[in-house]
Amino acid sequence: MQEEASSTLLRLTKRLKDMEGKFRSTRIAFLARCEEVEERERKLAALKAEAENKEAELRDLERLIEEKKRDTLLEKEQLKHATARDLQLMMSYMLMRRDLVVNEVSAALRASEDPAQLVLDAMKEFYPSDDSVGDGDRAEFDTVVVYRRSCVALLEELKKMKITRETKTRVREEAMKMASDWKGKMKVADENWLEALGFLLLVTTYGLTYAFDTTELQDLLIIVAQQEQATELCRDLGIIFKQAPGNLGKRG
């Protein structure tokens, strides 16, 4: 009888140890799974915070661009009824306001984790999706011009940061796609100098000049020859002219 009880006790002890082993294994697996879930949640939270930061940065840039649009359109309306004295005062105000906006844009770009991507996102409507814009609606056309000037200003500020070497491959590919799209829509003519200027700044700022024909780039430089950015663009493109950029009449 005692032997049977001992045998039963041994069996129960063994079963208890087996159960403890299974429980321990299950607990370890459960804790490992919990750590994986927590790590995934931390990564998701980090991605969400990054996305929210980028959205906030883009909203700030859009707000600055909208302010610039309103200021420019208001100034144009005021100029219609301005006296000589008014013009002097307006010019002083415009210069001060421009410097303020430029400083704000520069600060926003420098604070951004990915300024190159931020500027690309802000320039998506350089060529509006509505193809009818500019065919007859003067107000809409003026709005596009103001928007393109804002894009040029953004590219100029980004260019000062000399981000070409640090630009991510993904961002550079997106910039190349945008440049190809702009080139296909651009009308090469003297009156379209703003489009040509925007394109040249885009390819030089993002380091894409290698992808385009030098002769075509030179033709665009001739169109923007009277603009203040012409000399620097010549230098960036490695193109040397026989004449100063402001007096271009033929290729060198």
Side-chain angles (χ1 to χ4, degrees):
M1 193 71 177
Q2 185 174 357
E3 291 180 359
E4 183 179 351
S6 297
S7 177
T8 301
L9 181 61
L10 287 174
R11 286 197 305 272
L12 291 174
T13 301
K14 186 176 182 301
R15 287 183 61 185
L16 182 60
K17 288 182 178 179
D18 291 341
M19 291 175 64
E20 288 178 349
K22 290 181 181 179
F23 175 76
R24 189 179 301 109
S25 298
T26 302
R27 181 174 182 275
I28 292 173
F30 176 75
L31 291 176
R33 181 59 178 167
C34 287
E35 289 181 1
E36 290 179 3
V37 172
E38 290 176 356
E39 179 64 21
R40 185 178 301 175
E41 289 178 347
R42 284 194 293 269
K43 289 181 178 179
L44 289 174
L47 288 174
K48 181 180 178 182
E50 182 181 355
E52 290 175 348
N53 287 337
K54 288 186 176 181
E55 288 179 0
E57 291 170 354
L58 184 56
R59 284 196 298 271
D60 288 341
L61 269 182
E62 290 175 344
R63 176 181 57 78
L64 291 173
I65 291 174
E66 287 300 320
E67 288 180 0
K68 183 63 176 176
K69 285 182 183 179
R70 289 194 296 270
D71 289 345
T72 302
L73 293 176
L74 177 60
E75 289 157 4
K76 287 182 65 177
E77 184 63 27
Q78 291 174 335
L79 285 174
K80 293 179 181 179
H81 311 286
T83 64
R85 176 61 177 169
D86 290 335
L87 289 177
Q88 290 178 342
L89 294 174
M90 286 180 196
M91 183 58 69
S92 298
Y93 170 77
M94 288 169 64
L95 290 173
M96 289 188 294
R97 180 61 181 169
R98 181 182 183 279
D99 289 341
L100 177 60
V101 172
V102 167
N103 289 337
E104 290 179 355
V105 169
S106 178
L109 291 179
R110 294 185 184 283
S112 172
E113 295 181 359
D114 194 351
Q117 180 65 60
L118 190 60
V119 170
L120 283 182
D121 292 340
M123 298 193 302
K124 289 182 177 179
E125 289 299 315
F126 190 86
Y127 285 96
S129 54
D130 185 357
D131 295 333
S132 65
V133 172
D135 292 341
D137 193 329
R138 183 65 192 181
E140 287 293 337
F141 178 76
D142 288 345
T143 299
V144 171
V145 170
V146 172
Y147 183 85
R148 287 175 178 169
R149 287 183 181 274
S150 299
C151 291
V152 165
L154 285 175
L155 285 168
E156 287 182 302
E157 287 305 307
L158 183 64
K159 194 172 185 179
K160 293 176 183 177
M161 298 175 65
K162 302 185 184 300
I163 49 81
T164 304
R165 293 181 181 177
E166 291 76 21
T167 303
K168 299 175 183 177
T169 300
R170 170 184 54 78
V171 178
R172 194 187 298 273
E173 289 175 353
E174 187 174 337
M176 176 63 77
K177 182 178 178 181
M178 179 176 287
S180 299
D181 180 59
W182 287 14
K183 185 174 181 294
K185 295 178 179 179
M186 179 170 47
K187 298 177 182 178
V188 181
D190 290 346
E191 61 271 20
N192 294 327
W193 65 267
L194 191 54
E195 295 179 46
L197 179 59
F199 176 80
L200 290 173
L201 284 171
L202 175 62
V203 298
T204 55
T205 300
Y206 286 87
L208 307 175
T209 55
Y210 66 89
F212 298 94
D213 182 73
T214 301
T215 301
E216 292 181 350
L217 295 177
Q218 186 169 326
D219 289 339
L220 295 177
L221 272 172
I222 292 174
I223 293 176
V224 303
Q226 301 299 323
Q227 307 306 313
E228 61 181 354
Q229 301 90 340
T231 300
E232 184 176 356
L233 286 171
C234 286
R235 184 167 56 251
D236 291 339
L237 295 170
I239 296 176
I240 301 175
F241 292 97
K242 292 180 180 179
Q243 303 178 51
N247 298 312
L248 288 176
K250 59 182 179 180
R251 301 186 184 93

